[in-house]
């Protein structure tokens, strides 16, 4: 059985005006292994068209092309891919080496596409390069070789999967006479090893050395003559490698993508940096929001006793409409409230409190020194207070904060007698007391540095009683036995219509607003992601256009559409990953510098990145990049190999 037989092969192109343009008008021929066939004909006579059909690049023809008895015209796309990969080796006039791959990688490309083990790839490619005399050049890139050397690389590439048929379309067309001889020697040797070699040529030298010469004119075979007699084919002793049907692996695709991207390093780095800006802004916004919230929560937690539930009277509607004045004014508990609250389940102790913002009405004075007080509140025996100096207050003693100490301007304040004047329900209550300690700087920053004194409720109540006023608490702390019961209590008191601690309510409102705000800012930053997406889209489109030929070559050596798509998607994946990593690096840098600056001014770290933000940022970056890569990748996969190889 002939290895290749052509039966009435016809091909015509449909032109723009709807007319048919016949190129091949019925080709009949049979070919055996070991033949070296020269195909000669005028330019435009249909030689390349015929080679593309035999090579499985063009399956739109009439008639039959039987390879080992099987009609490739009836092959499915998958069968054609395997056919191109295993049965056919293509050699082109313009070599068509992949510029960014080394000589070795170019030769091994078909094996890479078949997911052959790297060590085997190298071994087989080296063997082929040895055969064409280029083993010493295998680490070079194609542009470091001469024309003849490039064509020899192309021959090694065509031979790598040990195909039965070699199709060479004007392989010596771009070479000088001497190099032509070298190439011819190699091609002759290939035929003598038992392969069918079809060579399209204009060169008489080539025709002279062939075992058969076919002349094509006007889409028909007009001559089919035997040439020089070849000695019987040398038995190929080496066991042929097994047919490969495996596919390009994901790591293989990533490696190919990386090799290409390395070639366009600057461009890709710039794109990754550009793409990272949007992601970086989002990560930074989230980190700032997180930093502020964590700071507030930590400070709250460090001050609050987890078993204590603070209760305040709800603000009356009419009051709250009166503006900030009303917000700062006090609502006092009635005795029945206190009774109701103390009777609740899980309550093990009750502590009464008073706290008031005083807009300049409260004052602490030692001799003739005075410190205006912004806040007067009561101490809780269930809290611990972090002191910078002195000791915890006992009965008839108070604790002040740094602001008060500074306002009084006294180095030695602990142990001094002070007079505190505080406005309670429109009365001026005066208490003579002793400073026992000063709050630490950290606790002070919680109250925003406002001057504040803390005293015992009983002392204040006694002082009020001295002035015929019966003090009622503005806040009540319920102490529970377990954290869980404390949480239950919190719910119960809100159900009953009471409010939680004033601080807690303020923090809740603040964090809700902060969430909204950071979300909004992150959303605005997100718009730049659209820019990144378009940028990646454009860059990959350009890449597809630049690499049209390369894609054609890959298809000619058996790459499936899926493989091509995978390589381009891998590129967008790598761009996305790189963008995400760059964004993470920049965010960390800003965090370190930003925090250092903020810390030196305010003593806190305001930017707090979380591993979730990093994962989220990188994930989004990859997602956007891969999504924008799908269009160019699909375009690349769809390219018609014949069309893309025709481009010069
Ligand atoms: P050769 O390789 O012998 O020089 P080709 O096989 O490349 O010739 O081309 C044969 C004929 O087919 C030419 O006349 C060419 O113009 C025509 N042809 C090739 N491709 C197309 C196409 N895509 N559309 C229309 N005509 C085409
Ligand atoms: Mg041609």
């Amino acid at each position: 059985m002939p290895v290749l037989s052509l039966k009435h092969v016809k091909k015509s192109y449909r032109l723009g005006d709807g007319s048919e343009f016949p190129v091949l008008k019925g080709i009949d021929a049979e070919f055996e292994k070991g033949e070296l066939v020269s195909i000669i004909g005028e330019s435009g006579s249909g030689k390349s068209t015929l080679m593309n059909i035999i090579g499985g690049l063009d399956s739109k023809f009439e008639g039959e092309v039987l390879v080992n008895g099987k009609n490739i015209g009836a092959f499915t796309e998958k069968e054609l891919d395997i056919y191109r990969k295993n049965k056919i080796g293509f050699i082109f006039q313009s070599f068509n080496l992949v510029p960014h791959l080394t000589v070795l990688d170019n030769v091994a490309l078909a094996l890479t596409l078949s997911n052959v083990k790297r060590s085997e790839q190298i071994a087989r490619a080296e063997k082929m390069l040895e055969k064409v005399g280029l083993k010493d050049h295998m680490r070079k890139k194609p542009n470091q070789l001469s024309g003849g050397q490039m064509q020899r690389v192309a021959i090694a590439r065509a031979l790598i999967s040990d195909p039965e048929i070699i199709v060479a379309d004007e392989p010596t067309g771009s070479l000088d006479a001497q190099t032509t001889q070298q190439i011819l020697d190699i091609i002759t040797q290939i035929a003598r090893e038992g392969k069918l070699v079809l060579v399209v040529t204009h060169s008489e030298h080539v025709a002279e050395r062939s075992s058969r010469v076919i002349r094509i004119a006007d889409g028909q075979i007009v001559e089919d003559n035997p040439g020089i007699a070849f000695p019987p084919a040398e038995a190929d002793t080496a066991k042929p490698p097994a047919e490969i049907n495996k596919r390009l692996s994901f790591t293989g695709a990533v490696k190919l993508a990386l090799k290409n991207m390395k070639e366009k390093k600057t461009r890709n780095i710039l794109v990754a940096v550009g793409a990272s800006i949007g992601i970086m802004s989002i990560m930074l916004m989230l980190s700032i929001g997180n930093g502020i919230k964590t700071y507030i929560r930590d400070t709250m937690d460090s001050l609050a006793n987890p078993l204590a539930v603070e209760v305040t009277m709800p603000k009356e509607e009419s009051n709250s409409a009166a503006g900030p004045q009303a917000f700062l004014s006090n609502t006092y508990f009635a005795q029945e409230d206190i009774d109701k609250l103390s009777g609740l389940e899980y309550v093990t102790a009750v502590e009464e409190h008073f706290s008031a913002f005083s807009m300049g009405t409260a004052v602490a004075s030692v001799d003739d020194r005075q410190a205006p007080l912004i806040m007067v509140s009561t101490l809780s025996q269930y809290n611990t207070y972090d002191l910078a100096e002195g000791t915890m207050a006992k009965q008839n003693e108070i604790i002040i904060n740094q602001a008060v100490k500074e306002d009084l301007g006294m180095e030695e304040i602990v142990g001094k007698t002070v007079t505190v004047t505080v406005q309670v329900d429109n009365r001026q209550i005066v208490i003579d007391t002793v400073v026992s300690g000063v709050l630490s700087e950290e606790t002070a920053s919680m109250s925003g540095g406002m001057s504040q004194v803390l005293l015992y409720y009983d002392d204040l109540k006694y002082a009020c009683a001295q002035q015929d006023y019966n003090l009622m608490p503005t806040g009540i702390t319920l102490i529970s036995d377990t954290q869980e019961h404390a949480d239950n209590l919190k719910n119960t008191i809100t159900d009953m219509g009471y409010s939680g601690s004033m601080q807690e309510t303020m923090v809740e409102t603040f964090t809700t607003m902060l969430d909204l705000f950071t979300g909004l800012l992150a959303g605005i930053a997100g718009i730049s992601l659209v820019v990144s997406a378009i940028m990646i889209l454009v860059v990959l489109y350009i890449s597809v256009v630049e690499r049209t030929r390369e894609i054609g070559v890959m298809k000619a050596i058996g790459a499936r559409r899926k493989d091509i798509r995978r390589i381009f998607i891998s590129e967008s994946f790598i761009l996305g990953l790189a963008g995400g990593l760059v964004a993470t690096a920049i965010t960390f840098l800003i965090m370190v510098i930003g925090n250092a600056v903020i810390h030196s001014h305010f003593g806190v770290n305001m930017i707090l990145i979380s591993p979730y933000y990093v994962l989220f940022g990188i994930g989004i970056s990859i997602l956007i990049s891969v999504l924008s890569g799908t269009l160019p990748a699909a375009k690349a996969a769809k390219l018609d190999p014949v069309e893309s190889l025709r481009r010069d």
Side-chain angles (χ1 to χ4, degrees):
M1 185 168 56
V3 61
L4 171 68
S5 69
L6 309 174
K7 295 204 159 108
H8 319 298
V9 175
K10 289 185 186 175
K11 164 97 192 172
S12 44
Y13 285 108
R14 190 178 289 280
L15 298 181
D17 59 6
S19 63
E20 293 266 316
F21 176 77
V23 179
L24 300 177
K25 299 173 177 169
I27 304 275
D28 286 278
E30 292 194 341
F31 304 92
E32 300 289 345
K33 285 187 177 184
E35 283 192 277
L36 172 55
V37 186
S38 279
I39 295 164
I40 302 176
E42 303 262 294
S43 176
S45 55
K47 306 178 299 293
S48 293
T49 305
L50 184 61
M51 293 305 113
N52 289 336
I53 289 173
I54 294 171
L57 291 176
D58 180 355
S59 47
K60 290 190 213 85
F61 61 90
E62 290 166 60
E64 288 183 348
V65 175
L66 301 173
V67 176
N68 294 323
K70 276 187 225 143
N71 180 16
I72 66 167
F75 275 6
T76 62
E77 195 180 311
K78 197 173 152 193
E79 286 170 323
L80 264 181
D81 288 336
I82 296 172
Y83 169 74
R84 286 199 297 260
K85 196 179 272 184
N86 293 305
K87 296 280 189 232
I88 288 285
F90 243 111
I91 301 167
F92 309 89
Q93 177 178 351
S94 47
F95 325 127
N96 282 333
L97 299 178
V98 180
H100 59 260
L101 295 181
T102 61
V103 165
L104 181 86
D105 285 333
N106 262 288
V107 175
L109 189 55
L111 303 181
T112 308
L113 290 172
S114 303
N115 197 19
V116 170
K117 264 206 316 249
R118 185 67 184 156
S119 55
E120 193 187 334
Q121 283 186 27
I122 295 175
R124 280 170 66 177
E126 277 181 0
K127 204 176 122 198
M128 288 305 141
L129 283 168
E130 200 163 10
K131 201 167 179 159
V132 297
L134 284 177
K135 202 172 172 223
D136 296 339
H137 301 267
M138 64 187 196
R139 305 260 165 245
K140 286 186 180 173
K141 292 277 176 74
N143 62 9
Q144 295 166 311
L145 300 177
S146 71
Q149 287 174 323
M150 284 199 266
Q151 195 58 298
R152 282 190 273 159
V153 174
I155 293 173
R157 178 177 65 188
L159 292 174
I160 190 84
S161 49
D162 197 34
E164 289 174 79
I165 305 170
I166 302 286
V167 173
D169 195 350
E170 305 194 39
T172 59
S174 317
L175 302 176
D176 58 43
Q178 199 201 334
T179 330
T180 298
Q181 282 304 327
Q182 284 179 5
I183 298 295
L184 273 178
D185 288 342
I186 296 171
I187 286 179
T188 312
Q189 179 62 25
I190 295 168
R192 291 190 54 190
E193 281 172 11
K195 297 190 191 303
L196 166 60
V197 183
L198 302 173
V199 187
V200 172
T201 186
H202 289 295
S203 159
E204 288 306 319
H205 291 295
V206 180
E208 276 166 19
R209 294 185 51 174
S210 309
S211 65
R212 183 173 166 188
V213 179
I214 289 180
R215 196 173 296 274
I216 292 186
D218 197 21
Q220 274 171 319
I221 294 182
V222 291
E223 252 182 67
D224 189 346
N225 295 326
I228 57 166
F230 267 25
E234 291 169 2
D236 193 358
T237 47
K239 194 166 74 72
E243 207 172 273
I244 326 153
N245 293 329
K246 276 200 264 167
R247 278 91 192 274
L248 175 65
S249 66
F250 181 68
T251 45
V254 170
K255 274 185 202 156
L256 278 177
L258 271 175
K259 279 177 187 160
N260 171 57
M261 293 171 85
K262 229 166 89 185
E263 200 68 13
K264 300 273 187 311
K265 213 184 286 163
T266 323
R267 181 204 289 179
N268 285 310
I269 289 175
L270 284 176
V271 171
V273 169
S276 74
I277 291 171
I279 300 289
M280 188 268 296
S281 327
I282 293 178
M283 287 207 275
L284 202 59
M285 288 306 146
L286 294 174
S287 301
I288 292 173
N290 185 35
I292 297 176
K293 272 196 303 196
T294 309
Y295 166 66
I296 293 172
R297 207 170 304 128
D298 283 356
T299 332
M300 288 287 294
D301 288 352
S302 72
L303 293 177
N305 178 337
L307 299 181
V309 178
E310 284 188 50
V311 191
T312 53
M313 288 296 281
K315 299 278 171 199
E316 281 162 39
E317 291 292 322
S318 56
N319 270 1
S320 63
Q325 201 65 46
F327 179 69
L328 295 174
S329 78
N330 284 316
T331 315
Y332 295 89
F333 278 84
Q335 190 56 47
E336 57 177 310
D337 291 312
I338 301 173
D339 293 343
K340 215 157 53 175
L341 288 166
S342 348
L344 286 175
E345 206 180 353
Y346 308 133
V347 173
T348 56
V350 177
E351 197 178 52
E352 293 173 326
H353 283 289
F354 173 86
S355 94
F357 280 105
S358 42
M359 312 298 278
T361 52
V363 73
S365 54
V366 178
D367 304 331
D368 54 353
R369 296 165 188 267
Q370 287 209 333
L373 300 175
I374 307 277
M375 181 97 174
V376 175
S377 42
T378 49
L379 290 158
S380 166
Q381 59 172 343
Y382 300 102
N383 268 1
T384 45
Y385 297 88
D386 192 21
L387 298 178
E389 54 184 300
T391 54
M392 184 57 197
K394 293 192 278 290
Q395 195 185 0
N396 210 19
E397 286 181 340
I398 62 164
I399 286 175
I400 63 173
N401 69 358
Q402 300 282 349
V404 178
K405 183 183 168 180
E406 272 163 34
D407 286 348
L408 287 173
M410 296 173 74
E411 265 310 309
E412 304 284 323
I413 187 72
V414 173
K416 292 278 182 316
T417 303
V418 291
T419 307
V420 175
T421 313
V422 53
Q423 181 162 333
V424 180
D425 207 8
N426 292 327
R427 281 176 189 79
Q428 299 283 57
I429 306 294
V430 181
I431 309 163
D432 285 323
T433 178
V434 175
V435 176
S436 80
V438 182
L439 286 176
S440 70
E441 198 69 68
E442 271 141 59
T443 327
S445 66
M446 182 54 203
S447 51
M450 304 185 295
S451 51
Q452 182 184 16
V453 304
L454 290 154
L455 72 173
Y456 281 111
Y457 184 78
D458 285 348
D459 290 345
L460 182 63
K461 194 171 169 90
Y462 180 76
C464 289
Q466 290 296 79
Q467 293 167 51
D468 293 326
Y469 175 66
N470 180 26
L471 178 68
M472 291 306 284
T474 62
I476 289 189
T477 303
L478 303 175
I479 306 297
S480 192
D481 49 354
T482 64
Q483 169 100 57
E484 198 193 340
H485 288 162
D487 289 341
N488 280 342
L489 263 178
K490 268 182 203 165
N491 293 333
T492 316
I493 62 130
T494 26
D495 288 349
M496 288 166 73
Y498 294 100
S499 304
S501 87
M502 201 203 282
Q503 257 178 354
E504 212 166 89
T505 324
M506 276 166 65
V507 166
E508 256 164 44
T509 321
F510 183 68
T511 42
T512 317
M513 276 165 58
L514 196 69
D515 277 344
L516 224 105
F517 195 61
T518 47
L520 190 73
L521 286 181
I524 293 171
I527 294 174
S528 52
L529 293 184
V530 179
V531 180
S532 314
I534 293 172
M535 196 168 54
I536 289 168
L537 194 83
V538 169
V539 166
L540 284 179
Y541 259 125
I542 293 172
S543 184
V544 171
V545 172
E546 284 172 345
R547 292 159 72 191
T548 302
R549 269 183 158 269
E550 179 189 330
I551 294 163
V553 174
M554 294 224 260
K555 289 205 166 162
I557 64 176
R560 302 167 303 156
R561 284 178 180 215
K562 215 186 248 179
D563 299 334
I564 306 284
R565 197 178 311 127
R566 224 174 241 189
I567 293 169
F568 278 87
I569 293 284
S570 299
E571 273 187 36
S572 55
F573 175 88
I574 293 167
L575 277 178
L577 180 66
L581 292 177
V582 171
T584 309
I586 299 179
T587 311
F588 265 102
L589 198 71
I590 294 181
M591 182 172 91
V592 169
I593 297 173
N595 277 342
V597 171
I598 298 171
H599 199 101
S600 71
H601 283 86
F602 302 101
V604 291
N605 290 328
M606 218 43 119
I607 311 172
L608 186 63
I609 201 166
S610 117
Y612 295 111
Y613 300 157
V614 173
L615 286 181
F616 174 76
I618 294 177
I620 289 280
S621 180
I622 291 176
L623 185 76
I624 285 178
S625 195
V626 167
L627 280 182
S628 22
T630 47
L631 273 176
K635 182 186 159 78
K638 266 211 304 264
L639 282 181
D640 175 28
V642 178
E643 285 294 319
S644 38
L645 286 170
R646 203 190 299 278
R647 293 241 193 120
D648 273 312

